[in-house]
Amino acid sequence: MSINSFGHLFRVTTWGESHGIALGATVDGCPPGVPIDAANLQHWLDRRKPGQSKYTTQRREADIVEILSGTYKGRSTGTPIQLMIRNTDQRSKDYSAIAGAFRPGHADITYWQKYGIRDPRGGGRSSARETAARVAAGGVARAVLAQLRPDLRIIGYMVQMGAHRIDRARFDAGEIERNPFRTPDADAAAEWAAYLDGLRKSGDSVGAVIEVTASGVPAGLGAPIYGKLDADLAAAMMSINAVKGVEIGEGMATAALTGTENADEIDMRRDGPTYRSNHAGGILGGISTSQDVVVRFAVKPTSSILIPRQTITRSGTPAEIVTKGRHDPCVGIRAVPVGEAMMACVLLDHLLLHRGQIGAAGGRIG
Amino acid sequence: MSINSFGHLFRVTTWGESHGIALGATVDGCPPGVPIDAANLQHWLDRRKPGQSKYTTQRREADIVEILSGTYKGRSTGTPIQLMIRNTDQRSKDYSAIAGAFRPGHADITYWQKYGIRDPRGGGRSSARETAARVAAGGVARAVLAQLRPDLRIIGYMVQMGAHRIDRARFDAGEIERNPFRTPDADAAAEWAAYLDGLRKSGDSVGAVIEVTASGVPAGLGAPIYGKLDADLAAAMMSINAVKGVEIGEGMATAALTGTENADEIDMRRDGPTYRSNHAGGILGGISTSQDVVVRFAVKPTSSILIPRQTITRSGTPAEIVTKGRHDPCVGIRAVPVGEAMMACVLLDHLLLHRGQIGAAGGRIG
Amino acid sequence: MSINSFGHLFRVTTWGESHGIALGATVDGCPPGVPIDAANLQHWLDRRKPGQSKYTTQRREADIVEILSGTYKGRSTGTPIQLMIRNTDQRSKDYSAIAGAFRPGHADITYWQKYGIRDPRGGGRSSARETAARVAAGGVARAVLAQLRPDLRIIGYMVQMGAHRIDRARFDAGEIERNPFRTPDADAAAEWAAYLDGLRKSGDSVGAVIEVTASGVPAGLGAPIYGKLDADLAAAMMSINAVKGVEIGEGMATAALTGTENADEIDMRRDGPTYRSNHAGGILGGISTSQDVVVRFAVKPTSSILIPRQTITRSGTPAEIVTKGRHDPCVGIRAVPVGEAMMACVLLDHLLLHRGQIGAAGGRIG
Amino acid sequence: MSINSFGHLFRVTTWGESHGIALGATVDGCPPGVPIDAANLQHWLDRRKPGQSKYTTQRREADIVEILSGTYKGRSTGTPIQLMIRNTDQRSKDYSAIAGAFRPGHADITYWQKYGIRDPRGGGRSSARETAARVAAGGVARAVLAQLRPDLRIIGYMVQMGAHRIDRARFDAGEIERNPFRTPDADAAAEWAAYLDGLRKSGDSVGAVIEVTASGVPAGLGAPIYGKLDADLAAAMMSINAVKGVEIGEGMATAALTGTENADEIDMRRDGPTYRSNHAGGILGGISTSQDVVVRFAVKPTSSILIPRQTITRSGTPAEIVTKGRHDPCVGIRAVPVGEAMMACVLLDHLLLHRGQIGAAGGRIG
C-alpha cells in the first residue's frame, strides 16, 4: 500500500530527490544467498548514465551505487538491501528560474497543488533521476533471476522515435548496443541521428516508443485477477516518468484484429506447447504462456525545452517560460534500461509469488 | 497484496466463477453514512447485462445484486460491504467440449499450467462474468463520489471497433446511450451495425477501443511514485479481461509529438489554472491537473469463436476446436461500463488516500 | 492494508454483521488442489457454535457454512474461496433497548463516535459472531496445512477462568474435549462449573485465559522485522473480540527471569537441534525454532450483563443500563476454536511466505 | 505486505545490520509541510543511546541520524523521508567467538535455519540496534502529531524489573527522567540500582516490563476488524526485539475480573463522555475512547551473558558458550524510547487512516 513501493514479495521502495543529498532504493524480500555486489549493479546503472552520447543530457552524474545493507561477504542475507546513489552534480542555479513559474507538461504544478510545498531543484522527486534507483533495484532482481532462471533474458530497445518507426524486417538484436538509440534497426539509427541533431539544435524534444522483451519466462507466472502479470507490468511501466501508454503483445492494434487473426494457435512439441504466433505477448488471462513476454511503452517528449511556452506563476500571473539547463532531447533513449529494470522486478516478484502459493505444483501437458 | 483485490483505502476484492453458485465483491474501506441500496447498484449492472441487443451474448443472466452486509437502513456503516450476484444460467453442457482442449487465445491453458486444476464451466474465474462484480463495486464508488464530489462525472464509450474509428468531429455525448455500441458517433454506429452483423454470422469476433473520461476531478489526486493516478488506472484497466493496451491522454501517439506540441500551455482564469489543450489526459507526474482524466484501452476479440482453430488437448494431442455457445462478437461493447467502474474505484480510492495524507492542505495558485 | 483483512499471502477478509443477512470470509491466496468441502469446515464451526452447554449463550444459531466459490469438485482451485454463513436467529427486539444508551465496556460508543452510524442489532460488526467467519477460514487453513505439513497439530484450551488457574501438573490433553470449558485439567473443570453457575445466576460474567499450542512447526517460519511470526500472532489474537493481552512462551513472566534462567539451552539429536526448555514459546527473533509455538491470550468478561451499570445515552443524558438477551457468562469458552483458527491462518501464511522468499533453501545443522 | 515495513498510510521500512555500513528507516506517507530536522530527531535518538549510565552497554555508538530525502528547507515535502544512521563502532572481534556456536535464547540459530546465511557481526539484522531506526521514524511521527494533535502526549516508563514491581501509589511522572531506569517510582529506582549492580557483576541479565501511555488521543481511532488500534499496537510492540508479551489496559489481569468490575462506567461532562475507570486502556472494539491509551510489554533478559550456557555449533557438535562484549544487563531500560516511538507511529498512522476513510465526520454525543 506504500505509495512509493511496488511489488508483492520482492518489494522495492524508492526514495530521494534529484538534487538532494542522495536517492536510492530499499529492496525487501530478496531471497538469501544470491551473489550481489556494487560492481554488478553499477553495470546496469552505467547503461542509463547521462552523457553517454551527444543525444543525452550532458549533466555529469557519476551515479555510483553503494550497498548499505542486506549483503554479507558478497551474498544477499534475505534482509532489506539498501541501495544509495549520492547526488554529486547539484547545479541548483540552473533551476532557480523555474521555481516561480510552472513548466507546461511538467509535474511542477501538480506537486504544488497536491503538497503545497515542493523541492524545485531539478524537479525534486518528480525528476527522471528517480529511475536510477529503479535500475539499481532491477540489478538486484536480475541477480536473483540469474540464479533461479538462468535461461531468462530481458532486452529493451527503441522501436520508434517521433513519427519514425523501425522496420521489423531489419531487426538485429546485436545492433542494439552499437548505436546511441539502442535500436535494433541500424538504418533507423542513422536516420534518427540526423533527425535528433536538428531537434536538439532547435531546443525542442521528441517522444519515443520502447519495447522490452523477456524470453525464457516459465508458464504460470501471474496472479489473476488484480495481480495479473500484465496488470503489474502496466502499472510498473506507467509509473516511469513521462510514460503515457503501455501495450502487451499486439497492444492497441489488437482492436483491429478478428478472433481468427488474434488467437495464437497451439501445437505440441517435445518439451511442451508451442504457438504459431505471439499476438498475446506471452500472457493469457494474466498468466505467462512461456512465449516471450512483450511490453511496449510510449515516452512523451520532455517538457524542459528551450522554446518559450505560455504559463502562469504561483501567484497566477501569466508568464513565458524557457527551461535552460542540460536536458535530453529524447528521454526515451535513457528509458530503455529503466523499462528493463521494471520488467526484471515484476518477473522476479511473480516468480516468488507463484512459488509461495503454488510451490512446485501446476498442471502438466502431454 | 491480496492478488484478487485492488485499491489502497477503498479496497475491492472480487470472487467467484462464471458457473459457480455466485460471484461478487467484498468492498472494504467505504466511508460511512453514504446512501447505498441494491436498486442503485442494479442500475449500473443492467448496463453490462447480456442480451441487451443482438450484438451481445444471448446468455440469460439476470445479474441481480444483493447487499449482504455493510449497510444499515440504506446507508453504509463503514464496515465491509458484501455484494453477491447469484449465477442463474449455468448451461455447463455448452462447455463440456472445451474441458479437454485449450482454446487458442484463452486462459484455459495458462490456468491449467499454473494451478493444475481449473473450473472449465464458462471459463471459471477467467470468465468476463467476473467484471459484473467490478461494476457492482463501481456502483458503491459512484455513490460515495456523488456525496464527496457532486460535480464529478464519468462516461465511457467506444471509439473504435475493428479497424473502424469514430470521427471526433461527430462526437455527441448524447448519442452514447442511443446506440447498442455506446459510441458517441451516430454514423459510426450505423456502419458498425452492418459490419458486426456480418462478423456475427461468420462466427467470428472483433476487438475494440474504449475511452473513459472523468470530468470534475480535483487537482492533486495521485500518489507518486508507485501510487501514481495513471499507474493505478493502467493496472485497473489492464486487469479487465481481454485488455491488451492502456493509454492516458495522447497515449502511444505522444511518441510522435515534439515537446512544443505536447506540452499543454497554461492560462489563469478566475477559479484557477486552465489549459489550452489536454495531451496529458488530466495527469502530470502521476497527479491530477483538474482537466478531464482521459483513459483508453484496447479489448482483444474474444477467442470463443465458431471458426475451427488448431490447438492441443491436455494430453498433448493435436485437436481442432470450435467454441459453441452464446458469445459476444465484440466483447468491447460490454466493457464500457466495466471501464467506467474501474475509473470510479480508482478515483475514489485516491480521493480518500489524498484526504488521509494531505487533509485539506495543498498549494493554492493565485 | 485492507482494514478487514489479515495475512500476507494467505489472506482472509471477513465481512458481515451479527444480525444482518449473512457474514463470512473471503479467503484469497489458497494453494490449489487441496481437498476442501463444507462438511469439513462445518466440523470446526460446530466447535464454537452457541448452546453447546448451559455455560454458553442459548442463542440458536445453526452457523451453517456455504462455499460460494474457489473450489471445483471438492478441491481448491487457487482462486478466492467465499465462505458464507447466513444469520438465522435475528431477535432484534432483544437489542432495541441498547440502541439508545451505550453499554459500558462495549464498542457501542466507539463505533458511534467513529462512524456516526452503527447497526445496533446484536452489536453489528463488533459482535463476537464475526469470529464464526474466522473459524471457517481457519478450517481452510487447516486443510492446506494437513497437506503441506501433515505432522503439524494445533490445540487450544482454557488455562484460567476468573482468578482460577489450572494446575499444569494435571495437564491432560485428552480431557480438553471432555468438559464444557475445554480445559486440560479435569479438577479445574469441576470447580469452574460450580463457579460459573453462580456467576450466571447472578447475571454477571467473567474473563479467561486461552492457550493455543502448535506442534510440528518447522524451523524457519517468520519474517523479521515487522512480519515476525510472534508479531503476526500477537496481532491475530489481539484482533479477536474482548482480547486484552497476548503472550508468547513465558510471556509477561519473562520479565522476572534472569538471562541464565530464560535462555533455552540447546542439544543435538539425530534429526536436529533440541532444547532443554521452551521459555521462548518456539520463536526466537521472530522465527520458529521447531519447538512448540505457544501463545496465550486473555479474554475480558463480556460487558453484556444483567447487572445495572451507569452510562449515558447518545444525547448525553445519564442512564442505567441492563443488557437483557442470551449472553455467554464466560465468552472465553467459545474463544478457544477462534484462537486455534487464527493460529492456523498465521502459520499457513508464513509457510507460504517462507516458500516464496526462500524456497527449499535454508541452513542445515549437523 | 513488505516484511520489514509497518503501518498503513504512515509506513515505515527499517533496514540495516548492527555492524554493517549503516542502518535506517524509509518513512513513506508523511504529510507535507511539517517542520522536521535532524536535530529534532536526534533528541529522541539520544534517549536510547548506549552508555548513558553504567546500567546500559558501554558500546560507543554516536547514533547520529542524517535526513537524506523528503524534506526541503526544514519541512516535509510528502515524499519518502530517508533516515540514515552510520555504524561507527564496529568491533567485530568481539563477536568472532559466536560466529560458530549458537547463543541459547538468541536469533542466531533461527536466522541460520531460515536463511542459510547470516551476518554474525553484532547479531546482524536481529540486533537491538535496529530499534534506533524505529526511534528516528518515531521522531518523524511525533513531529506530525505535534502539528495535528498538539495536546497528544506519549510517555514510556519501566514498571517492573525482574520480580520487582513499582508501587503505583508512588507514581511520579516527573521522576521518570531523573533515574537511569526511567521509572516513575523513586524508591524502586533506588532498589533496582543495587539489584542491577549485583546482576551486572555476576555477568547475568534480567527482564523488565515497560508501560507506554498516550493521552489526548481523540475518540474514533482504529479500524476494526484487523486494523484494530490494539491489534496494531500489539504487533508493533511484539515486533520489538526481546518482547514476549503485550497488554492493553488491564491486560492479562482482565481474565480475573467480572463483567461488573471490568466495564468502565460512563458519565457525561461538558465536552463529552468521561469514564469512572480505564480497565479498557482507552480502546473498545479496537477503537480509541478518548481515555489514555495504555500499553505494556515484557522484555526478556538478553541472552548475551557472561555465564556459560550449553549449546551446539553449526556442525552440530555440543559446545559451551559465553558471550563476551559490552551488553545491557537489562535491555528493558533502552526499550522505553522504542516503545514510545512505536506508539507514536501507530497513533499517527491511524489518525491519517481515519481522516482518509471518515474525514471530519463521526458521531456526536450530547
Side-chain angles (χ1 to χ4, degrees), chain A residues 25 27 34 40 44 56 80 92 103 114 118 137 179 185 211 235 243 250 257 262 268 303 310 315 323 366:
Chain A
V27 180
V34 179
N40 178 285
W44 303 111
T56 58
S92 298
R103 281 168 290 180
K114 182 179 188 71
R118 69 186 183 92
N179 64 74
D185 176 346
E211 184 169 277
V243 171
E250 283 295 329
L257 299 180
N262 183 70
M268 189 68 188
S303 51
Q310 198 56 46
S315 58
T323 313

Side-chain angles (χ1 to χ4, degrees), chain B residues 238-317:
Chain B
M238 193 66 90
S239 75
I240 300 172
N241 305 48
V243 171
K244 302 301 286 185
V246 179
E247 303 187 307
I248 305 291
E250 283 296 328
M252 300 305 291
T254 197
L257 301 179
T258 62
T260 332
E261 296 164 334
N262 183 69
D264 305 307
E265 294 188 295
I266 314 172
D267 293 316
M268 190 67 187
R269 79 184 157 206
R270 202 174 295 84
D271 62 345
T274 176
Y275 298 80
R276 296 182 184 177
S277 51
N278 188 16
H279 299 294
I283 302 174
L284 287 174
I287 303 171
S288 61
T289 62
S290 79
Q291 283 202 287
D292 287 1
V293 172
V294 182
V295 182
R296 268 182 314 285
F297 57 92
V299 180
K300 73 178 184 184
T302 179
S303 51
S304 301
I305 52 179
L306 293 168
I307 294 157
R309 311 303 296 151
Q310 199 55 45
T311 186
I312 57 174
T313 65
R314 191 177 300 172
S315 58
T317 43

Side-chain angles (χ1 to χ4, degrees), chain A residues 40-297:
Chain A
N40 178 285
L41 302 183
Q42 195 61 49
H43 166 74
W44 303 111
L45 269 165
D46 290 346
R47 300 187 64 236
R48 85 165 274 293
K49 198 172 61 183
Q52 297 182 71
S53 80
K54 62 181 175 179
Y55 304 107
T56 58
T57 171
Q58 296 310 299
R59 237 181 281 111
R60 259 173 270 84
E61 287 158 354
D63 282 353
I64 302 300
V65 63
E66 299 169 57
I67 301 177
L68 301 184
S69 69
T71 65
Y72 181 62
K73 296 185 172 174
R75 290 184 176 274
S76 60
T77 59
T79 61
I81 299 172
Q82 184 57 262
L83 305 170
M84 179 173 74
I85 299 162
R86 293 173 203 274
N87 292 321
T88 51
D89 180 19
Q90 306 175 12
R91 305 199 193 165
S92 298
K93 61 181 174 329
D94 292 352
Y95 297 91
S96 52
I98 60 150
F102 304 112
R103 281 168 290 180
H106 196 282
D108 293 339
I109 190 166
T110 51
Y111 267 66
W112 170 252
Q113 288 178 301
K114 182 179 188 71
Y115 298 113
I117 176 176
R118 69 186 183 92
D119 180 344
R121 303 167 303 161
R125 180 73 177 147
S126 72
S127 164
R129 254 183 81 55
E130 181 271 344
T131 60
R134 303 180 188 225
V135 172
V140 172
R142 282 177 185 266
V144 181
L145 286 169
Q147 194 179 69
L148 296 180
R149 305 291 311 183
D151 301 336
L152 195 150
R153 293 273 172 281
I154 296 170
I155 56 166
Y157 39 89
M158 193 178 288
V159 294
Q160 182 182 340
M161 176 187 286
H164 313 292
R165 290 190 161 78
I166 66 164
D167 175 350
R168 296 265 170 184
R170 290 195 299 251
F171 194 107
D172 169 10
E175 176 61 28
I176 296 172
E177 295 300 314
R178 284 201 293 267
N179 64 74
F181 309 109
R182 295 216 168 83
T183 178
D185 176 346
D187 297 13
E191 297 162 27
W192 298 357
Y195 170 68
L196 204 55
D197 270 331
L199 260 181
R200 193 164 47 83
K201 282 163 189 148
S202 72
D204 210 342
S205 63
V206 72
V209 176
I210 311 301
E211 184 169 277
V212 180
T213 302
S215 57
V217 177
L221 301 193
I225 298 294
Y226 303 109
K228 280 178 173 171
L229 184 58
D230 38 7
D232 281 356
L233 283 169
M237 300 306 174
M238 193 66 90
S239 75
I240 300 172
N241 306 46
V243 171
K244 302 301 284 186
V246 179
E247 301 186 307
I248 305 291
E250 283 295 329
M252 300 304 291
T254 197
L257 299 180
T258 62
T260 333
E261 295 165 334
N262 183 70
D264 303 309
E265 293 188 293
I266 314 172
D267 293 315
M268 189 68 188
R269 74 177 163 214
R270 202 172 297 82
D271 62 345
T274 176
Y275 298 79
R276 296 184 183 176
S277 52
N278 189 15
H279 298 293
I283 302 174
L284 288 174
I287 303 171
S288 61
T289 63
S290 80
Q291 284 203 285
D292 287 2
V293 172
V294 182
V295 181
R296 270 182 311 286
F297 56 92

Side-chain angles (χ1 to χ4, degrees), chain B residues 47 155-161 164-192 208-213 294-296 332-333 336 340:
Chain B
R47 298 186 66 235
I155 56 165
Y157 40 87
M158 193 178 286
V159 294
Q160 182 182 339
M161 176 188 286
H164 314 291
R165 288 190 162 78
I166 65 164
D167 175 349
R168 296 265 170 184
R170 290 195 299 250
F171 194 107
D172 170 11
E175 177 61 27
I176 296 172
E177 294 300 312
R178 281 201 296 266
N179 64 72
F181 310 108
R182 294 215 168 83
T183 178
D185 176 346
D187 299 12
E191 296 162 27
W192 298 356
V209 175
I210 311 301
E211 184 169 279
V212 180
T213 302
V294 182
V295 182
R296 268 182 314 285
I333 297 172
V336 172
E340 293 173 342

